[in-house]
């Protein structure tokens, strides 16, 4: 098992796009008058200072996580095999393709080896570029080969520094989003500080570097920043076109780098759908965003050799259904409250039915079953019947796919983030409900302005999108811990925006009958500054201590195993074992595998279940036959699985296999009544299998 030990010393507003915002300096024709010369100079100075601060924070974050990685592993001092072992589980698999491209005789030969790969899955040739999102490894390896840096920078450092560099992009994008929402770069500064001080819950890049989400989330943050700017009022046509291009590029890169892109963008599409139905976003811009999502995903599908899982995604079916339903129901946003509600219910039902029909049709035509394990997992997770399905239970028993632990909130509260987030969320939710009710009622904002201008509640389109985005991704994070990083980073943006927003404080002070413009400005700047001072004084010493703590990588057993494999087995040998360990075997030794951790393929899932029968109550002959059918030469047995203590009874790997095979589980405890003892099993079976392999 890999461990880290102490280092030894010596070693919005309205739906219609042409309606003006609540700003008082808007002319009747909808144009904004030019700023006075002094104000323009101040704006230039503010943007310049804010830009420098944002870039500096991004670079500091990049250096910070890189330093933590070095201090935790002593990466610069350990051997090459230890560096590669530190890329755990699927991280090692992805990095192995970068290494393969680097070591290939030419770029063309490297690409050919990926397209016609017969070492990732034994007795089978697969297209890696189709099956996995590894274009980033391909691009990076080509870049390393053509740049004159080979003599100065090792390939592994070029790789990890790129990922740490993307953290700078990530923080700068969060900074810009918060700045756009609030109108002040002080909000961006607060968002970046919260991201850093809540690092345990906002990123895990320093110890899972090649993970797909570490590539994808910076581009997702850039996309959100671009959408935030797109939803502003009074954009010029050229500005809008450039922003749409930025949204498309970010969406494409996000989709290209993560296999779960379609599910994240489906949640984003749901947010757009909800806000469009409630008349809180400009319909034309929402339509463009739907089209961008579809076109970005289809372009990725083309690059991945028409990956059927992308074509059968719910996102494409949903977006197409929304566009069709909108064409059918042209008068959706006309009429009184009851009329609108009736049309809205019919619209939602129509979109739902069309989505299901289109998705079922596509999957039927393509005979698509690659993502069925995800829906089995979701069905079991949310209580729609128990399951004995091995794949679904494998996910259910992993902590990362469980509910978000309660101690997450205590950590977020220690930086005041969760308290302020809850405060802002409550205020904007109330505002959103009022605005949505007014829109559905057909109330005319222009008429209300004359009678009750001081009390009219408004919500800008960009703020409305940010609200629904954080609510939906919050629900995702609460249900699945692994997805919390999509929520917590935006939580930093949302909370800082609310704390620095004149609109939020104006709404609160008006409710308390304390509103004056001067008081709003004082609160808008004083409370964020006080919060920043509190965070700095409380967490700066801890960050310094963290940066001064020196450890080193220590996993002698795995190092010995990898060295033994390289020295004592032929290069064509085929290895069977756990998915996690085999990824390291491929990276460190280049040997052929029977299975691996990239689980988005039905045949691979079935193959993995068969290989894992070495830990189930099956006869030695059965297990030997299964292993030989996959061309296995060597089996790696792990005592951490045989004598598993990490999971309780019912979630141990051997328990999942026994239940799936209809056998009772080991140990004290209840079993389902229809499970039966295995008549072929005894505890010497694993030894017998090993003897058979030795003799053969």
């Amino acid at each position: 098992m890999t461990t880290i030990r102490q280092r030894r010393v010596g070693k919005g507003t309205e739906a219609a796009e042409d309606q003006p915002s609540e700003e008082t300096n808007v002319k009747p024709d909808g144009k904004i008058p030019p700023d006075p010369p002094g104000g323009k100079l101040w704006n230039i100075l503010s943007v310049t200072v804010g830009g420098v601060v944002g870039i500096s924070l991004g670079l500091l974050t990049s250096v910070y996580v890189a330093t933590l990685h070095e201090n935790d592993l002593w990466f610069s001092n350990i051997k090459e095999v230890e560096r590669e072992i530190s890329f755990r589980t699927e991280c090692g698999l992805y990095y192995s393709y970068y290494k393969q491209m680097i070591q290939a005789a030419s770029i063309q030969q490297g690409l050919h080896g990926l397209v016609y790969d017969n070492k990732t899955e034994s007795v089978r040739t697969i297209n890696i570029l189709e099956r996995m999102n590894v274009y980033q490894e391909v691009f990076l390896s080509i870049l390393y080969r053509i740049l004159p840096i080979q003599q100065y920078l090792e390939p592994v450092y070029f790789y990890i520094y790129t990922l740490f560099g993307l953290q700078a992009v990530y923080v700068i994008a969060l900074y810009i989003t918060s700045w756009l929402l609030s109108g002040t770069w002080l909000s961006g500064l607060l968002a970046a500080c919260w991201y850093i001080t809540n690092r345990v819950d906002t990123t895990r890049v320093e110890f899972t570097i090649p993970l797909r989400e570490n590539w994808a989330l910076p581009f997702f943050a850039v996309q959100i920043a671009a959408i935030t700017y797109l939803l502003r009022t009074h954009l010029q046509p050229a500005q809008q076109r450039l922003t749409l291009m930025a949204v498309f590029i970010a969406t494409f890169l996000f989709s290209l780098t993560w296999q779960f892109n379609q599910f994240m963008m489906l949640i984003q599409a749901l947010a757009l759908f909800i806000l469009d139905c409630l008349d809180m976003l400009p319909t034309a811009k929402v339509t463009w965003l739907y089209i961008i999502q579809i076109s970005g995903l289809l372009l990725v599908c083309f690059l991945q050799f028409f990956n059927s899982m992308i074509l059968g995604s719910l996102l494409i079916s949903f977006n197409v259904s929304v566009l069709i339903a909108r064409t059918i129901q042209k008068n959706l946003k006309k009429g009184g409250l009851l009329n609108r509600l009736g049309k809205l219910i019919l619209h939602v039902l129509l979109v739902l039915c069309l989505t299901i029909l289109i998705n079922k049709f596509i999957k039927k035509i393509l005979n698509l079953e690659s993502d069925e394990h995800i829906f089995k997992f979701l069905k079991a997770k949310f209580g729609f019947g128990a399951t004995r399905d091995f794949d679904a239970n494998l996910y259910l028993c992993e902590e990362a796919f469980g509910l978000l632990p309660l101690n997450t909130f205590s950590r977020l509260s220690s930086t005041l983030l969760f308290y302020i987030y809850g405060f802002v969320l409550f205020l904007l939710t109330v505002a959103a409900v009022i605005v949505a009710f007014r829109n559905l009622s057909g109330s005319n904002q222009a008429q209300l302005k004359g009678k009750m201008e001081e009390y009219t509640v408004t919500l800008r389109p960009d703020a409305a999108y940010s609200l629904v985005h954080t609510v939906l991704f919050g629900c995702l994070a609460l249900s699945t811990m692994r997805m919390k990083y999509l929520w917590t980073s935006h939580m930093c943006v949302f909370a800082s925006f609310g704390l620095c927003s004149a609109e939020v404080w104006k709404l609160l002070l008006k409710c308390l009958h304390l509103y004056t413009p001067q008081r709003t400005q004082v609160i808008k700047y004083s409370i964020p500054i006080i919060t920043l001072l509190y965070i700095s004084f409380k967490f700066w010493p801890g960050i310094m201590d963290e940066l001064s703590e020196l450890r080193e990588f220590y996993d002698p057993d795995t190092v010995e195993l990898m060295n033994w494999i390289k020295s004592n087995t032929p290069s064509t040998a085929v290895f069977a074992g756990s998915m996690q360990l085999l990824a390291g075997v491929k990276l460190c030794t280049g040997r052929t595998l029977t299975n691996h951790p990239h689980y988005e393929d039905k045949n691979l899932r079935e193959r993995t279940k068969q290989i894992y029968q070495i830990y189930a109550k099956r006869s030695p002959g059965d297990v030997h036959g299964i292993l030989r059918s996959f061309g296995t030469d060597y089996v790696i047995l792990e005592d951490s699985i045989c004598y598993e203590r990490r999971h309780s009874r019912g979630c141990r790997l051997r328990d999942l296999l026994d239940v799936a095979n209809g056998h009772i589980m080991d140990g004290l405890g209840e079993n389902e009544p229809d499970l039966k003892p295995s008549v072929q099993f005894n505890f010497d079976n694993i030894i017998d299998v090993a003897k058979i392999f030795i003799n053969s």
Side-chain angles (χ1 to χ4, degrees), residues 396-627:
L396 287 170
C397 288
E398 284 299 321
E399 183 182 7
F401 292 94
L403 300 177
L404 189 66
L406 293 177
N407 61 6
T408 305
F409 301 105
S410 63
R411 289 193 301 270
L412 295 173
S413 300
S414 67
T415 62
L416 302 181
L417 173 59
F418 188 66
Y419 296 130
I420 295 172
Y421 174 80
F423 164 73
V424 177
L425 183 64
F426 173 76
L427 284 178
L428 291 187
T429 300
V430 172
V433 170
I434 294 172
V435 171
F437 180 79
R438 187 174 68 233
N439 290 344
L440 293 177
S441 300
S443 301
N444 191 314
Q445 177 72 6
Q447 293 176 358
L448 287 174
K449 263 194 170 184
K451 297 181 180 179
M452 43 188 305
E453 183 174 357
E454 288 189 21
Y455 305 103
T456 301
V457 176
T458 60
L459 191 64
R460 300 193 325 266
D462 54 354
Y465 171 77
S466 187
L467 171 65
V468 179
H469 178 101
T470 195
V471 169
L472 293 183
F473 278 96
C475 293
L476 177 66
L478 291 172
S479 65
T480 308
M481 186 185 74
R482 183 177 177 179
M483 299 301 172
K484 71 176 179 179
Y485 303 102
L486 289 150
W487 181 45
T488 50
S489 58
H490 193 265
M491 184 189 290
C492 300
V493 170
F494 190 77
S496 62
F497 143 63
L499 207 60
C500 299
S501 171
E503 289 87 351
V504 172
W505 289 114
K506 181 178 178 181
L507 174 64
L508 179 63
L509 292 175
K510 279 188 175 182
C511 292
L512 299 175
H513 303 286
L514 297 172
Y515 172 72
T516 64
Q518 296 78 12
R519 185 174 290 149
T520 302
Q521 290 299 312
V522 170
I523 294 175
K524 171 184 174 180
Y525 290 106
S526 61
I527 292 184
I529 291 172
I530 292 170
T531 304
L532 280 168
L533 291 173
Y534 168 80
I535 293 172
S536 301
F537 281 115
K538 182 173 181 180
F539 293 98
W540 182 258
I543 290 175
M544 291 298 100
D545 291 341
E546 188 179 34
L547 289 173
S548 63
E549 188 173 356
L550 303 178
R551 302 178 181 182
E552 69 174 324
F553 177 86
Y554 185 71
D555 189 2
D557 294 339
T558 308
V559 171
E560 183 181 5
L561 171 65
M562 299 304 169
N563 288 334
W564 185 90
I565 291 173
K566 286 192 287 187
S567 303
N568 296 278
T569 65
S571 59
T572 56
V574 177
F575 279 80
S578 69
M579 295 183 288
Q580 295 80 2
L581 185 57
L582 288 185
V585 170
K586 184 180 189 309
L587 171 58
C588 297
T589 71
R591 300 303 188 263
T592 304
L593 313 180
T594 55
N595 53 305
H596 55 82
H598 194 272
Y599 220 50
E600 280 66 54
D601 180 77
K602 184 180 180 181
N603 291 326
L604 176 67
R605 292 194 296 271
E606 182 58 35
R607 174 186 284 236
T608 299
K609 180 182 175 182
Q610 291 298 313
I611 295 295
Y612 279 2
Q613 297 302 315
I614 58 178
Y615 297 110
K617 296 172 182 175
R618 299 285 294 273
S619 69
D622 288 347
V623 175
H624 181 263
I626 290 170
L627 294 174

Side-chain angles (χ1 to χ4, degrees), residues 373 376-378 380-381 385-399 401 599 647 650-653 655-657 659-660 672:
H373 65 299
K376 288 180 181 178
F377 160 71
L378 293 174
K381 182 178 179 67
T387 181
R388 292 182 181 175
D389 182 77
F390 174 75
D391 302 318
N393 285 327
L394 198 62
Y395 281 110
L396 287 170
C397 288
E398 284 299 321
E399 183 182 7
F401 292 94
Y599 220 50
H647 292 117
C651 270
R652 299 171 299 187
L653 180 60
D655 296 337
L656 302 183
L657 291 163
V659 170
E672 294 184 28

Side-chain angles (χ1 to χ4, degrees), residues 183-451:
T184 171
W185 57 262
L186 181 63
S187 173
L189 174 61
L190 185 56
C193 289
W194 265 329
Y195 179 86
I196 295 169
T197 53
N198 291 282
R199 176 186 55 80
V200 174
D201 295 301
T202 54
T203 183
R204 49 179 174 168
V205 66
E206 73 274 13
F207 61 90
T208 59
I209 298 174
L211 207 61
R212 301 299 84 180
E213 68 190 47
N214 294 328
W215 284 98
L217 292 187
F219 299 122
F220 193 49
V222 171
Q223 186 224 41
I224 294 169
I227 289 175
T228 302
Y229 186 77
L230 177 69
L231 294 177
R232 303 181 87 179
T233 54
H234 312 300
L235 283 185
Q236 298 298 322
Q239 291 176 314
Q240 184 166 313
R241 285 193 295 270
L242 287 173
T243 308
L244 286 170
M245 180 60 68
V247 173
F248 173 77
I249 293 171
T251 301
F252 166 69
L253 292 174
F254 171 68
S255 303
L256 189 66
T257 51
W258 196 15
Q259 68 268 30
F260 294 137
N261 60 75
Q262 53 182 289
F263 303 105
M264 304 308 111
M265 289 199 296
L266 176 62
I267 295 175
Q268 191 177 56
L270 285 172
L272 295 171
F273 178 72
I274 292 168
L275 290 168
D276 186 33
C277 288
L278 297 177
D279 228 3
M280 297 173 73
L281 290 185
T283 300
K285 291 181 179 180
V286 172
T287 302
W288 272 113
L289 291 174
Y290 286 143
I291 294 171
I292 284 173
Q293 284 189 332
I294 295 173
S295 56
L297 212 55
L298 289 178
L299 181 55
V300 172
C301 179
F302 172 76
L303 289 176
Q304 289 194 257
F305 296 81
F306 299 97
N307 186 310
S308 60
M309 188 173 174
I310 297 176
L311 292 174
S313 67
L314 275 174
L315 174 67
I316 290 179
S317 302
F318 177 78
N319 285 9
V320 170
S321 299
V322 172
L323 296 175
I324 293 173
R326 187 186 291 166
T327 304
I328 296 173
Q329 292 180 290
K330 295 182 179 180
N331 297 322
L332 186 64
K333 297 183 179 182
K334 294 182 180 179
L337 177 61
L338 294 179
N339 192 359
R340 289 282 299 273
L341 285 175
K343 290 179 180 179
L344 191 58
I345 292 171
L346 287 175
H347 183 65
V348 171
L349 290 175
L350 179 60
V351 169
L352 182 63
C353 292
L354 282 174
T355 301
I356 294 173
L357 288 174
I358 293 173
N359 193 252
K360 290 285 187 184
F361 176 75
I362 293 174
K363 288 185 175 180
K364 187 73 174 178
I365 294 295
L366 299 176
N367 193 26
L368 178 61
E369 297 176 315
S370 298
D371 58 354
E372 64 176 6
H373 65 299
I374 297 174
F375 296 104
K376 288 180 181 178
F377 160 71
L378 293 174
K379 182 179 177 181
K381 182 178 179 67
F382 295 111
F384 296 103
T387 181
R388 292 182 181 175
D389 182 77
F390 174 75
D391 302 318
N393 285 327
L394 198 62
Y395 281 110
L396 287 170
C397 288
E398 284 299 321
E399 183 182 7
F401 292 94
L403 300 177
L404 189 66
L406 293 177
N407 61 6
T408 305
F409 301 105
S410 63
R411 289 193 301 270
L412 295 173
S413 300
S414 67
T415 62
L416 302 181
L417 173 59
F418 188 66
Y419 296 130
I420 295 172
Y421 174 80
F423 164 73
V424 177
L425 183 64
F426 173 76
L427 284 178
L428 291 187
T429 300
V430 172
V433 170
I434 294 172
V435 171
F437 180 79
R438 187 174 68 233
N439 290 344
L440 293 177
S441 300
S443 301
N444 191 314
Q445 177 72 6
Q447 293 176 358
L448 287 174
K449 263 194 170 184
K451 297 181 180 179

Side-chain angles (χ1 to χ4, degrees), residues 111 133 154 177 204 255 284 297 575 607 678 684:
L111 291 172
N133 297 69
E154 297 177 60
T177 304
R204 49 179 174 168
S255 303
L297 212 55
F575 279 80
R607 174 186 284 236
S678 173
D684 295 325

